[in-house]
Amino acid sequence: MKQNRSFAILTFVVILGVGAALAYARYRVGNITEAAGIGVIGFIVALVVASAIQVADQWDRAVILRLGHFHALRGPGLFLIIPVLDAIPYWIDTRVITTGFKAEKTLTKDTVPVDVDAVLFWKVVDPKKAALDVADYQSAISWASQTALRDVIGKTMLSDMLEGRDKISTLLQKIIDERTEPWGINVISVEVKDVLIPTGLEDAMSMQAQAERERQARVILGDAERQIAEKFAEAGKSYEHNPIAFHLRAMNMLYEGLKENATIVIVPSTAVESMQLGGLAGMTALSMGLGQERANGHKEGEIKKQMEDTSRVKEILNGTEPKASP
């Protein structure tokens, strides 16, 4: 439109300038009346030509009405109209247009108030229908989109709305396109941007999700305990008829404990007797005690005392400790 006005003004100035030059030339020769006539005619011609010449941008279509009736569509580029008889009430933009719309405090199917924001992408495919069949097609599209959004929200559960935005967008596109097709408008897509729910309900849903995760964690832990118990039962059956394997396993567990903890391990006397590990346990404790004392650089007397204590532990493990006299 700005380009059209600029071109019309330029045309008007050029023609008026030519007319003024001719009028001045006649005035110089003394024909004042003729000069005045040329000036008036030049002004009228400049005004008519400037009004008749129109320029439409690449994306614009001009709707021309002649004496109130639809005459033609013009554009893009340069075209002419008849001043006074022709009028251009609408310049239709045929590019893709985005329109934002929302629904506030709308109840879902399960009576939860939500605020939904969405964006509509659309374009005019029939400028004649958009200009003649609806008063203001942009406002009409906005209102049609809002009513369609409210209808969809009222028929959808909150959980489906939060999880299936793509389905809602597709459904909205279909509904809005059906409503706007008689107006020469094509809906390209609808995108649901955000769904806002009340704060209290959001906190409750968060607690519910947390409780569900804890339940799943407990179920997984219980299943793991069951599998462990099954494996222990299978291992017990393997050791039941193989005492040598059982003793080797017990010795390996005792060795791992001594190696990792680097200290003296006291086991029940019954286990020691059944596995015949009394001497082994005493010698292991003795060697570890000596190794620690040498590493710390203790005196020789303290090493002897540690050996005596270790021998006492050995006697306790073997069940041969002498009873104290009364």
Side-chain angles (χ1 to χ4, degrees):
M1 294 299 295
K2 291 182 179 179
Q3 181 180 358
N4 188 22
R5 294 193 188 98
S6 300
F7 188 81
I9 293 173
L10 179 62
T11 303
F12 177 80
V13 171
V14 171
I15 296 175
L16 184 61
V18 173
L22 294 175
Y24 180 73
R26 301 305 299 173
Y27 176 76
R28 291 287 302 271
V29 297
N31 294 330
I32 299 175
T33 304
E34 186 177 352
I38 292 175
V40 172
I41 293 174
F43 177 79
I44 294 174
V45 171
L47 185 62
V48 171
V49 173
S51 301
I53 296 178
Q54 301 290 330
V55 177
D57 293 327
Q58 179 65 35
W59 55 84
D60 282 336
R61 300 295 182 271
V63 179
I64 300 176
L65 299 180
R66 178 166 294 175
L67 297 177
H69 295 279
F70 175 77
H71 175 64
L73 289 173
R74 293 290 185 266
L78 181 68
F79 62 95
L80 299 175
I81 63 172
I82 301 175
V84 181
L85 297 181
D86 293 343
I88 304 178
Y90 297 109
W91 292 82
I92 306 298
D93 193 338
T94 58
R95 294 175 294 182
V96 176
I97 302 174
T98 58
T99 301
F101 61 100
K102 62 175 60 179
E104 298 180 352
K105 305 300 180 183
T106 305
L107 295 178
T108 61
K109 188 175 181 180
D110 48 351
T111 65
V112 177
V114 296
D115 297 339
V116 181
D117 293 334
V119 179
L120 177 69
F121 298 87
W122 58 277
K123 68 179 298 183
V124 177
V125 294
D126 192 340
K128 179 181 178 181
K129 290 183 179 181
L132 304 180
D133 294 349
V134 61
D136 187 352
Y137 64 92
Q138 292 186 354
S139 298
I141 290 173
S142 179
W143 286 110
S145 302
Q146 290 186 17
T147 55
L149 180 59
R150 290 182 179 274
D151 291 342
V152 172
I153 292 174
K155 298 177 182 178
T156 307
M157 302 291 289
L158 178 61
S159 58
D160 297 336
M161 184 174 300
L162 296 176
E163 296 175 359
R165 294 189 181 184
D166 294 339
K167 295 181 180 179
I168 297 176
S169 299
T170 304
L171 182 59
L172 279 173
Q173 177 184 352
K174 181 179 179 181
I175 295 174
I176 299 173
D177 192 35
E178 290 177 354
R179 294 183 180 180
T180 58
E181 184 179 3
W183 305 337
I185 295 170
N186 178 32
V187 177
I188 299 175
S189 66
V190 179
E191 300 292 338
V192 177
K193 294 194 301 181
D194 197 7
V195 178
L196 301 178
I197 61 178
T199 305
L201 181 59
E202 185 176 356
D203 295 339
M205 294 177 64
S206 177
M207 294 175 62
Q208 180 181 2
Q210 183 177 0
E212 179 64 21
R213 293 190 184 96
E214 291 181 358
R215 184 188 68 84
Q216 293 178 359
R218 291 179 180 274
V219 170
I220 294 173
L221 180 61
D223 186 64
E225 293 288 346
R226 179 184 58 81
Q227 295 179 6
I228 293 172
E230 292 178 355
K231 295 299 181 181
F232 280 163
E234 294 177 2
K237 292 180 180 179
S238 300
Y239 292 139
E240 183 178 3
H241 303 291
N242 194 346
I244 297 177
F246 179 71
H247 289 170
L248 290 175
R249 177 57 181 163
M251 293 172 64
N252 181 69
M253 292 174 62
L254 183 60
Y255 171 74
E256 293 294 335
L258 291 172
K259 182 179 68 172
E260 293 179 0
N261 298 327
T263 185
I264 298 174
V265 177
I266 298 177
V267 298
S269 60
T270 55
V272 173
E273 293 175 356
S274 61
M275 292 184 292
Q276 300 178 358
L277 298 178
L280 177 62
M283 293 302 295
T284 303
L286 175 61
S287 61
M288 292 185 66
L290 289 174
Q292 290 180 357
E293 294 300 332
R294 289 171 183 172
N296 294 334
H298 283 199
K299 295 180 179 180
E300 183 178 357
E302 294 179 351
I303 296 176
K304 292 180 179 181
K305 184 178 180 181
Q306 181 67 28
M307 293 175 61
E308 293 176 357
D309 293 340
T310 305
S311 300
R312 185 175 180 81
V313 172
K314 177 181 176 182
E315 294 175 356
I316 293 173
L317 292 176
N318 294 328
T320 60
E321 180 186 8
K323 296 184 181 179
S325 60

